[in-house]
Amino acid sequence: MTEWILSTENLSRSFGGLAAVDQVSFQVKKDEVFGIVGPNGAGKSTLFNLIAGVLPPSHGKIEAFGHRIDRMPTQKRCWLGIGRTFQAAQMFPTHTIGESLLSAGSAKHRGVAGWLRPVDLKSDRQEMLEFLDFIGLAGMEDLLPSELTNLQQQKLAIGMALITDPQLLLLDEPSGGLIEAEVLELLAFIKSIRVRGITIVVIDHKMRLMMNLSDRIMVMSAGKMIALDVPKKIASDVNVQNAYLGRPAGSD
Ligand code: ADP
Ligand code: MG
């Protein structure tokens, strides 16, 4: 029996007269990497905002881990196990890397269980150091994000999502601003997250990255899902080729 951990049904969100996400239905299986591609403005980031609870849907339904979540506050979705990064890594410029990880990690300790939990600075610091090591920034906790390379910043942004202990991780354009060699390292890094038993939904423009990383790929165009299949089939799908007509896939 397939285990679905995320499911949307006719999910829609309009801004004024514009249907940014239009009747999108899909299901994500436990432990898969589910890729989302599509031209700029296709509605990919809006879809993430609906899943993470940044925006309410206009219509439709979202379920995660057996719960209806589309009206649930963002914080509760985080406790349920949904972690996300933002398209342009949003970090506090004046927080050191260590402080950024610590404050991101504290998000999972709020709520009733969090209030009752004794403050344990030593174990929080220990956890922060372990994550620092996992994201390849060991010994760099006192640096500012501006002192990192683009790849290191992306890894920090992902580390800040991982430290909330998600079962489902949403990554929005993790290859943004990276050069080709860095994209390869990012690919290996995301694969190492997957090995930890975390299901990943990833949006990215870089087709080669997505083809290599994803078990299945959903293609969006003008708010709609136009294809959902394994990477090989997506590459030869006529609807997909038409959606990218005039500009080759992965060019933006
Ligand atoms: P993608 O991430 O695929 O590039 P987005 O989800 O960011 O696409 O945007 C989809 C469409 O919705 C675009 O036309 C965008 O201008 C519009 N849009 C996104 N967010 C908002 C918002 N908060 N208010 C108004 N329009 C928005
Ligand atoms: Mg986007």
Side-chain angles (χ1 to χ4, degrees), residues 11-14 50 55-62 70-71 77:
L11 189 61
S12 305
R13 169 71 203 203
S14 304
L50 296 174
L55 285 171
S58 308
H59 299 286
K61 170 164 142 178
I62 313 172
D70 45 79
R71 301 284 156 184
R77 299 188 208 203

Side-chain angles (χ1 to χ4, degrees), residues 82-133:
I82 301 175
R84 69 140 342 152
T85 61
F86 290 85
Q87 184 163 1
Q90 292 178 341
M91 278 171 282
F92 303 106
T94 57
H95 276 38
T96 66
I97 289 152
E99 287 163 352
S100 299
L101 280 169
L102 280 171
S103 63
S106 69
K108 68 171 175 253
H109 297 315
R110 296 196 192 112
V112 178
W115 297 327
L116 298 175
R117 173 183 176 271
V119 175
D120 185 349
L121 293 177
K122 209 171 146 204
S123 83
D124 285 354
R125 187 173 159 74
Q126 187 55 40
E127 183 187 48
M128 180 272 282
L129 292 173
E130 281 165 21
F131 272 90
L132 206 60
D133 193 40

Side-chain angles (χ1 to χ4, degrees), residues 67-80:
H67 298 265
R68 177 95 187 243
I69 65 160
D70 45 79
R71 301 284 156 184
M72 201 182 258
T74 307
Q75 185 68 67
K76 271 201 184 155
R77 299 188 208 203
C78 173
W79 297 332
L80 202 59

Side-chain angles (χ1 to χ4, degrees), residues 203-215:
I203 294 173
D204 211 276
H205 279 116
K206 296 258 179 352
M207 277 298 189
R208 236 178 313 153
L209 169 77
M210 294 300 268
M211 290 283 168
N212 193 321
L213 187 61
S214 312
D215 295 301

